[in-house]
Amino acid sequence: MPAEQPPAQSPPRRFSRRTVVPAVLILAMSAIGAGVAWSVHRGPSTSAAAPPVTVETVTVVRTDLATTVSLTGTLGYGRAEPVKGGRSGTVTWLPSAGATITRGKQLYRVDDQPVPLFYGDMPLYRDLAEPGTVGRDVRIVATNLKALGYEIGHQPAPGERVSRPAKAGSTAPASGQQKAASGQGEAASGQERAGAGQAASGQGAAAPTPAAGGTAGTPTRVVVRKGDGVLTGSLMRAIKRWQQDVELPVTGRIGVGDVVVLPGAVRVDAVTALRGDAAETPLVTVTPTRKVITVLAEAAEAGAIRRGDQVTVTLPGDKTVDGTISAIGTTVTQADDAGPTDEPKRAVTVTVDDDLAGIDAADVQVDLDGETHPDVLAVPVGALVALSEGGYALQLAEGGRFVAVTTGMFAKGMVEVTGDGVTEDLKVVTTS
């Protein structure tokens, strides 16, 4: 009897790539979008079945995508600057650390007289006492007194000419022609002037030479430049009223060191002198009153940052506030603890819109927009489907068809996509 033949085996089933890929794509998509790990089992599974992947429908949107650069910053009041007394005397009063000093308020006292704060971009470098004095320092005094509510009268505009009294006995150099003429007759007239002077006065001194264009004591004409102020009679009267109000000697003049000029209101960071010390030494250190964030960025990073750029600041407790780049340092520095591979850094200053009450110092995270792709088509990253032959596709919500796409920038959970048939508002499937 012939041996029993084994039953015929069915030929192995063959699937084309087109029939296999759609089923695998959803699983691959889930692994990418939801972070699920998949494994293949050749025998019966002894573990519980994996939960189904939840999907939903989204639309392709047109938007601006930008990468984010995250840097570590320090919240504080910025760099403290020293303030030195501007005139001789004895320090009789100093503020407390943490005090805020605004325009017109005393920053310290010398010889028991207040030294108030004025706002400006340069210190007073000379006594302002002579009517008609012109300069930027005069403008600082005029601007501050006006801001404090004093009537300063009319200030001449740039281009106007004002009279400045000449000091009695002042002389002016003669013109070129006058010098030439006087040079020719100098030998002859010198003896005559000497003899006449001795006869008239009994002394040998000659009379002063009159200023060009007038006699000794004749006022000079000065052109007011942009940014200048003029010490007018009205301004001098305003100075007297101010001096009386702040209990200073009422003189109508302001001397060097009578006021301290700083860019704005200040916060006293530290007191560096003692009462009884000489005033012409560093007395206090001050900072701006507004809190700022200082970021040390590598030179390449700082080069891509622009003043006015908007940033997001993450504070302790994960609170976020909006900020603005207000300054970019021009000095490249190397930290003291920097390693051989650490790059030099530049200081970047960020101001925030929030007053940050209750936080005086903290480490924060500053997020800046990096590269930007404007007006592009984008979908959530979870909508990408990995193709077995490489690349990505989107699954249409209607009909389940797959459309191959080319990806561009990835940013904040979104991805830039382009492809045939991919348009704005196209509905596609994504993982939830």
Side-chain angles (χ1 to χ4, degrees):
M1 169 179 272
E4 184 177 353
Q5 298 293 324
Q9 296 182 351
S10 300
R13 298 176 61 185
R14 298 183 180 273
F15 295 89
S16 68
R17 176 174 291 178
R18 293 294 180 185
T19 59
V20 174
V21 168
V24 176
L25 291 178
I26 295 297
L27 300 180
M29 179 56 239
S30 301
I32 295 174
V36 179
W38 296 92
S39 61
V40 178
H41 299 277
R42 296 190 181 276
S45 174
T46 58
S47 61
V53 177
T54 304
V55 296
E56 59 184 27
T57 299
V58 296
T59 58
V60 179
V61 297
R62 185 172 294 279
T63 186
D64 297 340
L65 288 184
T67 57
T68 299
V69 178
S70 295
L71 300 173
T72 300
T74 302
L75 172 66
Y77 287 94
R79 181 180 177 182
E81 299 287 348
V83 176
K84 179 181 176 181
R87 62 180 173 87
S88 61
T90 301
V91 177
T92 53
W93 178 86
L94 291 164
S96 300
T100 297
I101 312 297
T102 57
R103 190 199 315 261
K105 302 300 181 181
Q106 64 180 1
L107 183 57
Y108 51 89
R109 294 178 74 93
V110 175
D111 296 340
D112 203 28
Q113 292 181 359
V115 180
L117 172 64
F118 276 8
Y119 297 170
D121 57 3
M122 62 179 288
L124 301 188
Y125 60 92
R126 58 179 173 172
D127 291 346
L128 301 180
E130 296 294 332
T133 301
V134 178
R136 291 192 296 149
D137 49 351
V138 181
R139 171 63 65 181
I140 289 173
V141 173
T143 300
N144 279 273
L145 290 182
K146 184 176 181 180
L148 290 170
Y150 293 92
E151 178 56 53
I152 65 171
H154 169 72
Q155 279 287 298
E160 290 189 37
R161 291 180 175 270
V162 298
S163 296
R164 184 168 62 188
K167 295 181 180 180
S170 62
T171 61
S175 66
Q177 294 179 348
Q178 289 173 325
K179 288 180 180 178
S182 63
Q184 294 173 358
E186 184 175 356
S189 63
Q191 296 177 351
E192 296 175 1
R193 290 200 304 269
Q198 290 174 356
S201 62
Q203 301 175 358
T209 303
T215 61
T218 301
T220 57
R221 304 285 288 177
V222 179
V223 177
V224 179
R225 299 170 301 178
K226 183 178 180 180
D228 282 347
V230 180
L231 193 58
T232 61
S234 297
L235 179 55
M236 297 183 76
R237 288 189 290 272
I239 292 173
K240 289 183 177 180
R241 292 192 296 271
W242 168 74
Q243 288 172 329
Q244 184 174 10
D245 290 344
V246 298
E247 299 181 352
L248 284 170
V250 181
T251 61
R253 58 178 286 170
I254 293 182
V256 175
D258 286 349
V259 297
V260 56
V261 182
L262 297 173
V266 295
R267 168 185 171 273
V268 179
D269 183 69
V271 179
T272 57
L274 298 174
R275 289 179 295 175
D277 285 350
E280 291 182 305
T281 57
L283 305 178
V284 295
T285 59
V286 298
T287 67
T289 58
R290 187 175 185 180
K291 295 171 188 174
V292 297
I293 295 167
T294 303
V295 177
L296 293 179
E298 294 182 357
E301 295 171 332
I305 299 172
R306 297 290 180 268
R307 185 175 179 180
D309 285 353
Q310 302 300 302
V311 301
T312 301
V313 179
T314 303
L315 302 169
D318 291 334
K319 177 184 177 181
T320 60
V321 294
D322 294 330
T324 305
I325 302 294
S326 58
I328 303 171
T330 57
T331 303
V332 178
T333 59
Q334 187 82 41
D336 295 337
D337 58 350
T341 60
D342 291 339
E343 294 189 15
K345 299 180 182 295
R346 293 168 60 185
V348 178
T349 303
V350 178
T351 55
V352 294
D353 302 332
D354 195 289
D355 61 4
L356 303 178
I359 306 177
D360 285 343
D363 290 333
V364 299
Q365 177 180 305
V366 179
D367 293 331
L368 308 90
D369 286 340
E371 182 183 359
T372 300
H373 287 194
D375 196 33
V376 298
L377 296 176
V379 295
V381 174
L384 289 180
V385 178
L387 298 174
S388 60
E389 62 266 32
Y392 295 95
L394 299 177
Q395 184 179 13
L396 303 184
E398 296 182 3
R401 184 169 62 89
F402 290 86
V403 178
V405 293
T406 301
T407 59
M409 175 181 288
F410 288 76
K412 299 178 181 179
M414 300 290 287
V415 57
E416 175 187 357
V417 293
T418 56
D420 292 339
V422 179
T423 59
E424 187 176 359
D425 295 330
L426 178 69
K427 295 183 180 298
V428 297
V429 175
T430 185
T431 56
S432 58

